[in-house]
């Protein structure tokens, strides 16, 4: 059935929202875990007397874990199911929260954070993928974007927890990490109440269970049609990774990997991870608390703009949002670079441009890239394909965050922002010229687009 004819359900069916919300709790842990280190690292350095290199290891151990977690998750979930691996990741989240709160030395801390990274990496692949596989097409964009909503909520919570615990004395940092155990355990328990992905079930020959799940999502009549469509699509898939390198699919993979890398090298995490440092060291007359306060503002705009994205992504479609976002970000990066040519750079000007940059990212590239990644690969290899794209994303994230300060030294901070601006333009072109619109189509229809290509 062509997408335009898929009828919208007469009244709101809350089931897919509920199931997606459970999966999206992992986004909360994702956001919290990547952002909590910003505040904690100051205290950790004092407690363990860390050198510069040791500080980088302490801060980077989570991100390295993300690369491995994302790499393993796809393959494991194609084999053992999406839900089972999500449950396993919930256990890792909880173990890491406690482990990072209780270490006696740097080594123990690094191991605990690496384990947390495995969980973040795995969840970053599986939550969007699982949500896409259980969602009806009319609201799939919104439901996958829900995961981004929880990521930005996690980031904001981490900033707030850090700020409030920064008054709690030298052991306050331990509570910063321990705080994540609560949502991790809640996530673990809630996962027992959600179903396995219907697409994975069909692929494994468990059609009647899949029918039960789809009936709750889309109604009994539509569910039967969907099962048929899923079966037809799967029949055309070889299920081997070689399939991804066949002509049409090769294009899907190339676009997925490009979008993933560009989401990072357009530079948003320099602001999110180094916001306070930039303000403290590069903008004149800033106290530490003013710099941290500016960060909370940034987290808030990120949060609010994501709500807008959630609301409109299924109406406007993915392409217009991504293009708007990349275009405005390019202008902001250009302006940010220019603002740093003024000496000293005016604080309000820098903050306003950063807020606009964040708003533009959060309304498009932030949720949009994850949505497209969860939609464009065929069912039998979706897990593995999404792993490849997500691993690229995390490697780009590590590369960006590890090079920002030295890049700013080598080509000036203005040069660094202009370089990120250039990548925004590349992002715009790749979406405009190569990325298909996936709004309102079933995953099976999207798959057909590539086979025709
Ligand atoms: C990105 C993260 C980023 C976050 C910020 C996500 O979509 O993948 O790297 O930190 O958005 O909101």
């Amino acid at each position: 059935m062509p997408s335009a004819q898929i009828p919208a359900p007469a009244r709101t069916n809350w089931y897919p929202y509920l199931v997606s919300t459970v999966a999206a709790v992992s986004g909360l842990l994702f956001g919290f875990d990547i952002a909590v280190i910003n505040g904690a690292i100051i205290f950790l350095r004092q407690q363990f007397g860390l050198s510069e290199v040791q500080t980088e290891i302490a801060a980077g151990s989570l991100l390295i874990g993300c690369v491995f977690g994302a790499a393993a998750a796809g393959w494991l979930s194609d084999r053992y199911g999406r839900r089972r691996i999500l449950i396993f990741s919930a256990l890792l989240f909880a173990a890491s929260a406690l482990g990072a709160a209780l270490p006696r030395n740097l080594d123990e801390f690094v191991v605990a954070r690496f384990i947390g990274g495995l969980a973040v990496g795995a969840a970053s692949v599986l939550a969007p993928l699982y949500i896409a596989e259980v969602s009806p097409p009319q609201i799939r964009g919104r439901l996958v974007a829900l995961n981004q909503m929880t990521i930005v909520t996690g980031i904001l919570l981490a900033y707030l927890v850090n700020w409030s615990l920064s008054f709690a004395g030298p052991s306050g940092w331990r509570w910063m990490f321990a705080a994540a155990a609560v949502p991790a355990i809640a996530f673990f328990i809630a996962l027992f109440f959600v179903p396995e992905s219907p697409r994975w079930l069909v692929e494994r020959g468990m059609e009647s269970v899949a029918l039960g799940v789809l009936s709750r999502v889309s109604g009994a009549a539509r569910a039967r049609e969907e099962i048929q469509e899923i079966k037809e699509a799967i029949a055309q898939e070889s299920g081997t990774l070689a399939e991804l390198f066949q002509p049409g699919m090769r294009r899907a993979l190339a676009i997925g990997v490009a979008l993933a890398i560009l989401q990072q090298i357009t530079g948003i995490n320099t602001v999110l991870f180094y916001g306070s440092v930039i303000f403290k060291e590069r903008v004149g007359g800033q106290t530490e608390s003013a710099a941290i306060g500016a960060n909370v503002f940034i987290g808030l705009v990120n949060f609010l703009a994501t709500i807008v994205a959630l609301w409109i992504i299924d109406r406007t479609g993915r392409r217009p949002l991504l293009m708007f976002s990349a275009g405005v970000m390019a202008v902001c990066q250009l302006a940010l670079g220019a603002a740093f040519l003024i000496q000293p750079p005016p604080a309000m000007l820098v903050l306003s441009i950063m807020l606009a940059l964040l708003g533009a990212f959060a309304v498009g590239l932030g949720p949009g890239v994850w949505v497209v990644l969860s939609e464009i690969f065929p069912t039998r290899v979706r897990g593995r394909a999404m792993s490849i794209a997500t691993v690229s994303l995390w490697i780009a994230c590590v590369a960006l965050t590890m090079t920002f300060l030295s890049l700013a030294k080598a080509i000036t901070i203005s040069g660094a922002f202009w370089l990120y601006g250039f990548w925004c333009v590349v992002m715009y072109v790749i979406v405009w010229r190569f990325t298909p619109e996936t709004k309102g189509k079933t995953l099976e229809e999207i798959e057909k687009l590539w086979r025709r290509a």
Side-chain angles (χ1 to χ4, degrees):
M1 189 193 285
S3 57
Q5 291 170 24
I6 294 173
R11 64 193 166 83
T12 310
N13 171 7
W14 291 105
Y15 186 66
Y17 281 91
L18 219 68
V19 172
S20 304
T21 304
V22 170
V25 175
S26 69
L28 192 81
L29 290 154
F30 168 162
F32 188 90
D33 276 352
I34 58 171
V36 68
I37 193 74
N38 279 19
I41 197 78
I42 303 172
F43 302 99
L44 210 71
R45 274 188 90 157
Q46 288 164 3
Q47 173 119 34
F48 295 136
L50 304 182
S51 68
E52 291 286 316
V53 175
Q54 285 173 322
T55 307
E56 277 171 8
I57 295 172
S61 48
L62 178 101
L63 294 179
I64 308 287
C66 291
V67 175
F68 288 96
W75 180 79
L76 288 172
S77 80
D78 280 342
R79 204 183 157 114
Y80 299 106
R82 319 312 193 195
R83 182 170 158 268
R84 236 178 252 156
I85 307 304
L86 277 173
I87 291 176
F88 182 58
S89 80
L91 285 176
L92 295 183
F93 271 123
S96 161
L98 297 177
L102 298 171
R104 286 161 300 180
N105 51 43
L106 176 65
D107 292 348
E108 289 178 5
F109 178 80
V110 166
V111 171
R113 289 285 286 172
F114 178 81
I115 291 173
L118 294 178
V120 174
S124 69
V125 173
L126 293 183
L129 178 146
Y130 171 82
I131 295 174
E133 289 189 337
V134 294
S135 302
Q138 308 86 345
I139 51 168
R140 189 179 56 235
R142 173 182 298 180
L143 292 180
V144 176
L146 199 63
N147 194 52
Q148 178 73 13
M149 191 72 240
T150 52
I151 294 175
V152 301
T153 309
I155 295 176
L156 186 60
L157 273 179
Y159 288 160
L160 291 171
V161 167
N162 281 350
W163 178 75
S164 51
L165 284 172
S166 64
F167 307 106
S171 297
W173 65 271
R174 294 187 183 273
W175 290 102
M176 293 178 187
F177 292 103
V182 178
I185 292 167
F187 180 44
F188 177 77
I189 296 171
L191 278 168
F192 286 93
F193 296 92
V194 301
E196 180 48 89
S197 145
R199 285 176 169 81
W200 186 83
L201 288 166
V202 172
E203 203 266 315
R204 291 278 142 160
M206 288 175 262
E207 223 179 285
S208 55
V209 189
L211 186 63
V213 179
L214 282 172
S215 301
R216 296 193 70 180
V217 172
S218 320
R222 177 73 195 123
R224 267 188 293 278
E225 285 168 16
E226 267 182 62
I227 294 270
Q228 209 43 46
E229 288 162 19
I230 296 171
K231 276 166 69 180
E232 276 163 24
I234 288 176
Q236 289 185 25
E237 298 171 5
S238 72
T240 62
L241 264 193
E243 176 163 14
L244 277 176
F245 296 95
Q246 283 164 11
M249 289 298 159
R250 194 159 54 203
R251 217 165 130 213
L253 188 64
I255 292 172
V257 168
L259 294 184
I261 294 176
L262 285 163
Q263 195 216 35
Q264 293 297 315
I265 61 174
T266 40
I268 201 66
N269 283 326
T270 56
V271 175
L272 282 175
F273 296 171
Y274 293 105
S276 335
V277 178
I278 298 176
F279 267 93
K280 181 82 190 58
E281 291 175 8
R282 302 281 185 149
V283 179
Q286 298 299 309
T287 63
E288 253 153 38
S289 57
I292 293 176
N295 244 33
V296 174
F297 250 112
I298 285 173
L300 205 62
V301 167
N302 196 11
F303 178 85
L304 293 175
T306 307
I307 298 180
V308 177
L310 207 73
W311 212 244
I312 62 178
I313 192 162
D314 285 315
R315 282 180 221 167
T316 57
R318 297 25 166 174
R319 277 168 53 84
L321 263 194
L322 286 170
M323 281 158 61
F324 169 80
S325 172
V328 176
M329 281 180 72
V331 175
C332 291
Q333 294 285 26
L334 191 73
L336 202 52
F340 277 97
L341 293 180
I342 308 169
Q343 277 313 324
M348 279 321 282
L349 181 67
V350 171
L351 181 60
S352 316
I353 301 172
M354 280 184 178
L355 292 179
L357 179 75
L358 237 301
F361 173 85
V363 95
L365 259 59
V369 167
W370 290 108
V371 170
V372 174
L373 290 183
S374 72
E375 298 177 325
I376 60 173
F377 302 118
T379 293
R380 279 171 106 168
V381 288
R382 185 171 294 121
R384 278 162 287 173
M386 200 166 159
S387 262
I388 296 175
T390 310
V391 166
S392 321
L393 184 145
W394 284 114
I395 292 176
C397 177
V398 174
L400 178 92
T401 40
M402 303 275 274
T403 55
F404 174 61
L405 295 178
S406 33
L407 191 69
K409 217 177 252 171
I411 61 169
T412 75
I413 195 163
S414 299
F417 287 129
W418 289 335
L419 179 63
Y420 304 145
F422 166 76
W423 292 122
C424 294
V425 176
V426 174
M427 179 75 161
Y428 184 95
V429 173
I430 288 196
V431 176
W432 172 45
R433 296 303 306 253
F434 302 111
T435 312
E437 183 54 76
T438 49
K439 171 185 104 172
K441 297 187 170 65
T442 65
L443 295 180
E444 289 65 38
E445 286 168 338
I446 297 169
E447 189 175 332
K448 271 192 212 144
L449 287 180
W450 300 112
R451 296 199 187 281
R452 275 203 296 271

